[in-house]
């Protein structure tokens, strides 16, 4: 039982304190992959600790219920806990009710997670199907001018169709489906020149290639299951930010970095931003996202998350030394989080 209490104590402490440790290390995106691994490992570490603690508790209850009730009573009341207390029907009934309540809370969290994941998958697949039916293929002339192969039109990515929806609000995003879809609005085509459009499409293809929609579904499901725990609520937001930065990096390697910056600002503000006007240092533009466009649940938009931070990062990338330092720090945090549950289990069994 000591092992279960130690694991639960660690899980509660980590769920509240780890975000304060990881957020400063991942805020600037100096090491995107290490940052994603650290946040996901922290979530897995807490979940594993809780599951193992519950499993140990149930085994202890099944093996010796009277001894468990006695241990719990004396841990709270000390010597005042006499046999007349911990053997009474009232005390045993209260202990049993506590166990039932814990089980119900776990069941509710599991239901909330499954419900959120299923709803997100239904919505994104339905939106992808609707976009392919209602939208029109990206004209081959625009596709070729922005870096796509002539005749590719709606099949630039083997797993996605690129389609255009008639909407004056500029937006560009991808949604998972069978196949997935990269969606552009007519408003986005109005504010993007061909190189910028190519950068946006490269960004969305990177999301699909990286499987970012799976990360978003997983982390948002956990945030819905544990709405009061900072590790899952803030962690979901940080994972989304890092996923955007990772897609930016991939797009910047295959497209012009200034074109990508201009495209992010153009979609976010709804105005034409000439690539030649992008300064050499970040200007702190206050873009908030997609000019008010309403995106479906599960969509991965090009310019709806942390645009100022991403623009600053693209214009002023971290030096190799700084990136290596952040990677080392995140690797140490990851190793500690991964080792904590088995280490606590072994120490408490001695």
């Amino acid at each position: 039982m000591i092992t279960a209490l130690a694991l639960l104590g660690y899980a509660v402490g980590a769920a509240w304190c780890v975000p304060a440790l990881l957020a400063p290390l991942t805020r600037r995106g100096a090491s995107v992959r290490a940052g994603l691994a650290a946040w996901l490992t922290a979530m897995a570490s807490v979940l594993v600790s809780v599951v193992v603690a519950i499993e140990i508790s149930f085994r202890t209850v099944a093996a010796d219920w009277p001894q468990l009730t006695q241990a719990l009573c004396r841990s709270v009341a000390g010597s005042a806990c006499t046999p007349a207390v911990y053997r009474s029907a009232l005390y045993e009934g209260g202990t049993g009710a506590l166990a039932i309540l814990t089980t119900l809370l776990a069941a509710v969290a599991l239901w909330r997670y499954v419900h959120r994941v299923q709803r997100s998958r239904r919505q994104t697949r339905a939106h992808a199907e609707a976009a392919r039916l209602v939208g029109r293929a990206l004209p081959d002339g625009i596709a070729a001018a922005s870096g796509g192969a002539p005749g590719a039109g709606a099949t630039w990515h083997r797993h996605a169709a690129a389609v255009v929806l008639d909407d004056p609000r500029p937006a560009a995003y991808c949604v998972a489906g069978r196949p997935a879809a990269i969606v552009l609005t007519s408003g986005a085509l109005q504010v993007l020149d061909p190189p910028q459009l190519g950068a946006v499409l490269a960004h969305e293809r990177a999301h699909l290639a990286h499987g970012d929609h799976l990360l978003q579904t997983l982390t948002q499901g956990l945030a819905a299951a544990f709405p009061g725990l900072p590790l899952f609520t803030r962690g979901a937001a940080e994972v989304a930010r890092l996923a955007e930065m990772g897609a930016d990096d991939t797009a910047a390697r295959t497209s012009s970095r200034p074109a990508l910056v201009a495209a992010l600002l153009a979609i976010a503000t709804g105005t034409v931003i000439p690539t030649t006007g992008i300064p050499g240092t970040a200007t702190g533009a206050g873009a908030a996202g997609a000019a008010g466009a309403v995106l479906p649940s599960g969509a991965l938009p090009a310019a709806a998350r942390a645009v100022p931070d991403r623009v600053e990062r693209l214009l002023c990338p971290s030096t190799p030394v700084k990136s290596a330092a952040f990677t080392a720090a995140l690797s140490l945090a990851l190793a500690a989080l991964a080792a904590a549950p088995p280490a606590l289990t072994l120490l408490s069994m001695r």
Side-chain angles (χ1 to χ4, degrees), residues 38 46 138 191 221 256 280 284 297 313 328:
V46 169
L138 195 65
V191 298
S256 164
S297 173
R313 178 176 176 272

Side-chain angles (χ1 to χ4, degrees), residues 13-27 39 230-231 234 238:
W16 283 95
C17 299
V18 164
L21 168 67
L22 292 184
L25 297 176
T26 60
R27 184 175 297 116
W39 279 104
L231 176 62
R234 186 170 183 179
E238 293 298 324

Side-chain angles (χ1 to χ4, degrees), residues 2-60:
I2 296 178
T3 302
L5 293 175
L7 289 171
L8 285 175
Y10 161 75
V12 172
W16 283 95
C17 299
V18 164
L21 168 67
L22 292 184
L25 297 176
T26 60
R27 184 175 297 116
R28 301 258 322 178
S31 182
V32 170
R33 292 184 179 180
L36 285 171
W39 279 104
L40 295 174
T41 300
M43 296 179 191
S45 178
V46 169
L47 291 174
V48 168
S49 297
V50 172
V51 170
V52 173
I54 292 175
E55 190 270 337
I56 291 174
S57 299
F58 275 113
R59 279 197 289 109
T60 304

Side-chain angles (χ1 to χ4, degrees), residues 210-233:
H210 298 166
D212 290 338
H213 59 285
L214 297 176
L215 289 181
Q216 178 169 282
T217 299
L218 171 67
T219 55
Q220 289 186 350
L222 291 174
F226 305 101
L229 295 181
L231 176 62
F232 299 107
T233 53

Side-chain angles (χ1 to χ4, degrees), residues 12-346:
V12 172
W16 283 95
C17 299
V18 164
L21 168 67
L22 292 184
L25 297 176
T26 60
R27 184 175 297 116
R28 301 258 322 178
S31 182
V32 170
R33 292 184 179 180
L36 285 171
W39 279 104
L40 295 174
T41 300
M43 296 179 191
S45 178
V46 169
L47 291 174
V48 168
S49 297
V50 172
V51 170
V52 173
I54 292 175
E55 190 270 337
I56 291 174
S57 299
F58 275 113
R59 279 197 289 109
T60 304
V61 168
D64 195 347
W65 173 257
Q67 184 177 355
L68 174 63
T69 59
Q70 177 183 352
L72 289 174
C73 181
R74 289 184 174 174
S75 66
V76 175
S79 58
C81 182
T82 63
V85 174
Y86 64 76
R87 289 178 182 173
S88 66
L90 181 61
Y91 176 80
E92 291 194 353
T95 306
L98 180 61
I100 293 172
L101 177 62
T102 302
T103 303
L104 288 176
L105 290 175
V108 169
L110 179 61
W111 179 85
R112 288 174 62 91
Y113 173 79
V114 172
H115 176 71
R116 177 58 183 265
V117 168
Q118 290 180 340
R119 185 182 66 178
S120 178
R121 293 181 64 183
R122 285 196 304 267
Q123 290 179 344
T124 53
R125 289 182 178 181
H127 188 84
E129 292 175 2
R132 289 194 300 272
L133 290 174
V134 177
R136 62 181 187 275
L138 195 65
D140 289 335
I142 297 178
S146 56
T155 58
W156 284 14
H157 190 280
R158 63 176 180 171
H159 298 304
V163 298
V164 180
L165 297 180
D166 290 320
D167 191 324
R169 298 168 297 181
Y173 55 92
C174 62
V175 287
R178 296 180 180 177
I182 296 175
V183 180
L184 301 160
T185 63
S186 56
L189 296 182
Q190 292 288 330
V191 298
L192 298 176
D193 64 22
Q196 294 169 4
L197 177 58
V200 168
L201 290 170
H203 176 97
E204 298 305 333
R205 290 196 295 268
H207 275 312
L208 295 171
H210 298 166
D212 290 338
H213 59 285
L214 297 176
L215 289 181
Q216 178 169 282
T217 299
L218 171 67
T219 55
Q220 289 186 350
L222 291 174
F226 305 101
L229 295 181
L231 176 62
F232 299 107
T233 53
R234 186 170 183 179
E238 293 298 324
V239 166
R241 278 167 48 89
L242 290 169
E244 293 297 333
M245 292 176 178
D248 287 342
D249 290 342
T250 300
R253 287 194 294 268
T254 58
S255 304
S256 164
R257 186 178 292 263
L260 176 59
V261 172
L264 292 175
L265 294 175
I267 294 177
T269 61
T271 58
V272 176
I273 306 291
T275 300
T276 55
I278 297 300
T281 57
T283 59
V294 178
L295 303 181
S297 173
L300 295 171
R305 291 192 183 97
V307 172
D309 291 342
R310 290 162 59 197
V311 168
E312 181 179 1
R313 178 176 176 272
L314 287 167
L315 294 177
C316 304
S318 298
T319 64
V321 173
K322 182 179 290 187
S323 296
F326 275 94
T327 300
L330 287 167
S331 298
L332 288 174
L334 187 154
L337 290 166
L344 285 173
T345 302
L346 291 175

